[in-house]
Amino acid sequence: MRKRILTGDRPTGQLHIGHYFGSLQERVKLQDEFDTFILIADVQALTDHFHEPELVRRHVFEVVLDNLAAGIEPEKVTFVIQSMIPEIAELTVFFSNLVSLSRLRQNPTVKTEIALKKELFGNSVSYGFLGYPISQAADITVFNADLVPVGEDQMPQLEQTRELVRKFNRIYGETLTLPEGKYGIFPRVKGLDGKAKMSKSLNNAIFLADSPTQIEAKVQGALTDPQKLRVNDAGHPEICTVFTYHQMFSPGIEELAGECRAGSRGCRFCKAQLTAKIIETLAPIRERREAFAQNLSEVKDLVSEGTARAKRVASETLNRVKDAMTIQYF
Ligand code: TRP
């Protein structure tokens, strides 16, 4: 039996190069070796987009297309729409008895997100948002996933999942698979503005579906070393966004840093070189995306079949869970 992977995306926007280097590339590599489940986490997306469900709806298939564009092969993976698997919600309820409120408040990723969402939550975060890591634990365990390839920001979620699984198994007997996290090589991709995180809402992202013109304009506006004003000024590549992107798109391009420090490389040239490289890398991705988008009804069938298969797995797990909890009555 092949080991199983479960990973997920929130359908709140198109996927960008941060997703690509943080996790998509990794799942493309792993799809041959593992039975791969990709969850379109619409329920989780609603924890902070409850007021705009149509935005979530609109992005469900966009996110599937982005995965296919990145190299996910339809016959190798199982796409699952989260809201169509009510077993996830059931398991979330059982899990929620096994975690304290203070433990939920300690999750560093959730803390950062709450701070960024002041406008939405004010000073009182919702029960659903604070608890989404519990529902994520259910996403993972309901499909008996062995491995969860995600970006580094999801590490706390994985830790919480492992705690919940251990606790469940301790109380009710060995029932659930203990999953492991697998983190990408580029854990955190900076935004074009140099901010720590690339994100649609911060308006600092290069999307996988961006056209060459859009890419060019975005790279032109990217933050470089603010102290390097003239072509021949010595630069500090370690603080330059453009340099970090060069490292992602052209691994091993270290001599570039030396040229920048020596003042023999201007930012304008450096950006033009990066633009060309990004356009070249994203071109086949964009082409694949367009080809799949032309056949949207086939893509929808694929997701519908995947969800049906996933539903069978989830329902078996819930049977085992209820047996273990002695709440199987008939
Ligand atoms: N929280 C993840 C993110 O924001 C998305 C996600 C939902 C997920 N469910 C998951 C990731 C299960 C891994 C496993 O990117």
Side-chain angles (χ1 to χ4, degrees), residues 6-10 19 39 41 44 82 113 132 136 139-140 148-150 153-154 157-158:
L6 178 290
T7 187
D9 298 309
R10 291 184 189 191
H19 296 111
L39 183 79
Q44 189 178 114
Q82 188 185 24
E113 286 169 330
Y132 90 72
Q136 187 158 331
D139 296 342
I140 295 167
V148 185
V150 276
D153 62 317
Q154 298 297 303
Q157 268 64 309
L158 243 296

Side-chain angles (χ1 to χ4, degrees), residues 160-229:
Q160 270 187 291
T161 301
R162 289 170 56 85
E163 283 171 29
L164 280 165
V165 169
R166 285 208 191 90
K167 195 158 179 187
F168 187 100
N169 287 348
R170 188 153 28 86
I171 298 174
Y172 304 110
E174 276 307 309
T175 312
L176 302 170
T177 308
L178 185 68
E180 265 177 56
K182 190 168 194 322
Y183 308 101
I185 344 169
F186 292 102
R188 210 164 257 271
V189 176
K190 279 203 266 181
L192 288 156
D193 53 2
K195 290 223 177 87
K197 195 177 158 108
M198 176 172 283
S199 112
K200 185 192 167 79
S201 53
L202 297 174
N203 201 16
N204 63 3
I206 297 178
F207 296 103
L208 295 179
D210 275 349
S211 68
T213 328
Q214 288 169 310
I215 295 168
E216 190 177 0
K218 286 183 178 180
V219 174
Q220 221 145 62
L223 184 78
T224 52
D225 171 4
Q227 283 174 26
K228 182 169 160 63
L229 299 174

Side-chain angles (χ1 to χ4, degrees), residues 225 228 230-238 254-267:
D225 171 4
K228 182 169 160 63
R230 280 169 297 263
V231 182
N232 296 321
D233 286 350
H236 304 84
E238 63 282 355
E254 302 306 328
E255 77 273 7
L256 189 152
E259 290 171 18
C260 176
R261 280 197 193 93
S264 60
R265 159 177 284 267
C267 294

